[in-house]
Amino acid sequence: MTDVESLREQLRERGYLKYGIERWFALDPWSSRTFWAELATVATKAATLVALFGALPCVAIMLARNHPLSAIETLELFVIYSIAWAVVAFAVVIIVALLLKIRPELPIETSRGLLAVSIITSALLIVPLAAWWYAFDTMPSLVELIAGGALAAIFFVVGTIVVSAALLSFTIYELKRIPAIHQKPRGIPLAAGAAILIGLLFIPAYAMPERQESPPLQVVTMPVQRRIALIAVDGLSDEIVRSRPDLLREFATVRSFGTLAARSTTERWASVGTGVPASLHGVRAVEGVRLFGGAHVLQSVSRGDVALRAAAQRQPLPPTIRRRDYVWEIFAARGVPSLAVNWWTTANGWSGALLSIGQETIFGSARGDALRVDAVATSDFIREIESHRPQFATVYLPALDVILNRLALDPSSRVTMSIRALEGIAPPVRAAREHGYDVFLIGLPGESQSGHAIIASTIPIRKPASAFDVAPTVCALLGFPASDEMPGATLIGTVTRIPTYGPRNVAMTQTKMNQEYYESLRSLGYIR
């Protein structure tokens, strides 16, 4: 038996020849259909293994950033990323193989040369993963960094082995022997290893089942007679307020403080209303993506994630995304009549003592008109405090932020519209005062806006340290304890503390997106 025949026999025993790995190198790429068929077969086999290991770090990183997800959602993520990696790996293997085939100045004359080419090719496959990971808006957590880094390293090693196997014929023809790395078949152990690692991805889906609804925590409260109104104005800074004497006259105290750092306007205002940081309330973006049939919305998505955005549905955050109650929901669950108008991640409805008028209706009816959003929200707010006089009432007015920071307007139009937005703040303040409310006005500069945050009150208050002070202050005024999860301090009197009010009682269900609401958010510059 000749050396070549012996070599072919060894290849057959290891399963290489049936995939054409020894034959296609000798064929003319421009005239042989067999060449292309066999090259495609080899590339497909390589791409399949690469895809299995390439999807692992992507899914692990998404699980770390968007936990919890169900088993079905985890599987969908894996399939989406596997398909994307299969396409990328298939193209890379074919390009490298053709480059080596048609460029004689790039021969692989040693097994070391084959390994070098395989490492370079595997490094090229790591580049899209690194770019995808870097394109997230926030730095990775320690758990994410360890898991993602370890799986990326495994992906690099496996990619080197798989690409080396796909290009094995070059070394076979030059050296007439099989490199040591391929003395034993690698396909079966690699596939088995991929299956084990894939199975580990599903542990979080079963380790933390969905929380069941429970009765609200019973707390000791101090009965009070006062009524509180909280008016939140996005885009309102200390500098703007002090340029409006008519607005300043409505308040006894005006205090400025540092703005609240946050990724998005929804995160910032959810922190104000709940009194807890985003790590607890879970609101981080204006929109997210929902997988087919999934109950969860993924908020943390890489800006370079073309595959997921193409396969999933983009939508505004549903009310169920928030994991902590706003303070007025805490009050209402314990019998305090409350009103909330136009706050992020709230739904329309009358639940117990709380009347909630969510953004979906208000933004949808405004049809992209920022001033109309404020006008409708103000009208609903005034109507309800006049007719029902709840003990606590709040409204969120976003028009100033939209005009100053989100819409592409000429300077004249921007000034005119911002003045109209500022003029719209006084009516709800005056209406609340006329009906016996102690009024708090809080303004935060927009995401790209300079200036200091502002809190104005019709009663004397201490200087705030941050926007987190709003929730404990309101709790103290209505006789409720704050929780230890709230980092802020009360600005008037003292407040008792309890460990926590617990997670929000809400069931994660799939809801149909209101297209009119989504288009309104796009028109107002919240979604791009």
Side-chain angles (χ1 to χ4, degrees):
M1 182 180 292
T2 66
D3 291 341
V4 173
E5 290 173 345
S6 175
L7 184 60
R8 286 174 173 167
E9 185 61 31
Q10 295 177 52
L11 289 170
R12 288 191 186 94
E13 291 174 359
R14 290 165 175 78
Y16 286 117
L17 271 182
K18 59 183 162 184
Y19 294 106
I21 201 165
E22 186 263 346
R23 297 192 300 272
W24 65 266
F25 179 68
L27 301 174
D28 180 8
W30 311 122
S31 61
S32 173
R33 293 182 181 177
T34 304
F35 168 84
W36 289 105
E38 293 183 348
L39 176 57
T41 302
V42 170
T44 299
K45 180 187 177 185
T48 300
L49 277 173
V50 169
L52 292 177
F53 285 91
L56 287 171
C58 295
V59 176
I61 290 167
M62 290 297 291
L63 288 176
R65 288 178 174 267
N66 296 280
H67 187 70
L69 293 179
S70 68
I72 296 298
E73 290 166 329
T74 303
L75 179 61
E76 284 189 57
L77 277 178
F78 184 80
V79 170
I80 291 170
Y81 288 126
S82 293
I83 293 173
W85 274 113
V87 172
V88 171
F90 182 86
V92 168
V93 170
I94 285 187
I95 290 171
V96 172
L98 286 176
L99 183 63
L100 295 172
K101 177 70 177 71
I102 66 179
R103 298 297 295 269
E105 65 270 23
L106 299 173
I108 302 180
E109 298 180 351
T110 64
S111 57
R112 186 176 298 175
L114 173 65
L115 183 60
V117 171
S118 300
I119 289 175
I120 293 172
T121 304
S122 186
L124 291 176
L125 291 172
I126 286 290
V127 170
L129 174 62
W132 172 84
W133 201 357
Y134 182 78
F136 281 96
D137 292 329
T138 56
M139 297 295 291
S141 64
L142 181 60
V143 172
E144 176 190 340
L145 193 61
I146 294 173
L151 290 173
I154 294 172
F155 173 48
F156 177 79
V157 173
V158 170
T160 301
I161 296 172
V162 170
V163 171
S164 176
L167 303 177
L168 182 59
S169 61
F170 289 96
T171 300
I172 290 172
Y173 271 85
E174 295 293 342
L175 301 182
K176 302 296 187 290
R177 66 181 175 82
I178 302 174
I181 195 174
H182 296 295
Q183 289 295 322
K184 294 181 180 180
R186 303 291 178 183
I188 293 178
L190 286 179
I196 293 172
L197 291 175
I198 292 167
L200 294 176
L201 290 177
F202 291 86
I203 291 178
Y206 297 101
M208 295 184 66
E210 292 291 344
R211 184 181 56 84
Q212 301 297 318
E213 291 192 19
S214 58
L217 178 70
Q218 298 301 308
V219 297
V220 177
T221 64
M222 297 291 292
V224 296
Q225 299 299 318
R226 70 193 327 155
R227 300 180 188 276
I228 304 295
L230 175 64
I231 299 173
V233 182
D234 206 354
L236 183 66
S237 66
D238 175 66
E239 293 78 5
I240 293 175
V241 169
R242 295 188 186 281
S243 69
R244 303 287 302 188
D246 59 322
L247 195 56
L248 287 172
R249 285 194 294 268
E250 300 290 339
F251 299 98
T253 309
V254 178
R255 304 281 193 180
S256 64
F257 55 96
T259 190
L260 188 65
R263 283 174 49 196
S264 68
T265 187
T266 46
E267 177 181 332
R268 185 167 57 249
W269 287 104
S271 293
V272 172
T274 61
V276 304
S279 59
L280 292 178
H281 64 62
V283 178
R284 294 188 176 275
V286 174
E287 70 163 347
V289 297
R290 190 191 292 274
L291 297 167
F292 179 77
H296 300 87
V297 173
L298 284 65
Q299 296 182 68
S300 186
V301 179
S302 170
R303 285 177 276 108
D305 201 329
V306 178
L308 183 58
R309 294 183 188 277
Q313 181 189 37
R314 297 173 64 179
Q315 70 167 77
L317 296 188
T320 53
I321 205 74
R322 183 162 43 83
R323 298 197 300 264
R324 288 295 187 274
D325 285 323
Y326 285 126
V327 288
W328 48 89
E329 293 171 332
I330 292 173
F331 304 154
R334 293 154 183 85
V336 176
S338 302
L339 167 71
V341 180
N342 202 40
W343 278 81
W344 293 98
T345 62
T346 58
N348 293 329
W350 198 310
S351 176
L354 173 66
L355 172 60
S356 176
I357 303 175
Q359 286 187 326
E360 190 170 315
T361 300
I362 294 174
F363 274 71
S365 64
R367 300 183 181 276
D369 184 340
L371 293 172
R372 179 163 172 75
V373 172
D374 275 16
V376 173
T378 297
S379 175
D380 290 345
F381 176 79
I382 294 175
R383 182 187 68 244
E384 292 301 326
I385 64 173
E386 289 178 344
S387 59
H388 295 100
R389 300 194 67 189
Q391 193 167 355
F392 179 87
T394 182
V395 61
Y396 168 74
L397 305 176
L400 189 60
D401 170 58
V402 173
I403 294 164
L404 294 178
N405 304 302
R406 302 181 183 281
L407 297 182
L409 300 170
D410 62 84
S412 176
S413 298
R414 193 181 305 279
V415 170
T416 301
M417 293 181 67
S418 61
I419 290 174
R420 291 179 60 192
L422 287 168
E423 290 173 346
I425 299 173
V429 172
R430 290 172 185 149
R433 291 192 64 187
E434 290 171 358
H435 287 82
Y437 286 83
D438 294 325
V439 181
F440 287 84
L441 173 70
I442 178 168
L444 300 181
E447 294 168 31
S448 58
Q449 185 180 346
S450 61
H452 294 84
I454 183 74
I455 184 167
S457 170
T458 56
I459 57 178
I461 57 174
R462 292 187 286 269
K463 183 176 177 61
S466 75
F468 285 116
D469 293 344
V470 173
T473 300
V474 174
C475 286
L477 289 171
L478 289 179
F480 277 75
S483 74
D484 290 335
E485 294 177 329
M486 299 177 181
T490 179
L491 303 179
I492 184 170
T494 59
V495 64
T496 56
R497 297 272 179 172
I498 61 172
T500 179
Y501 280 99
R504 186 176 176 222
N505 275 326
V506 61
M508 298 299 296
T509 57
Q510 185 175 8
T511 56
K512 186 177 180 180
M513 183 182 70
N514 184 323
Q515 191 64 31
E516 196 174 51
Y517 175 40
Y518 185 79
E519 293 302 326
S520 181
L521 290 178
R522 287 178 62 92
S523 300
L524 294 171
Y526 286 106
I527 296 174
R528 295 178 175 85

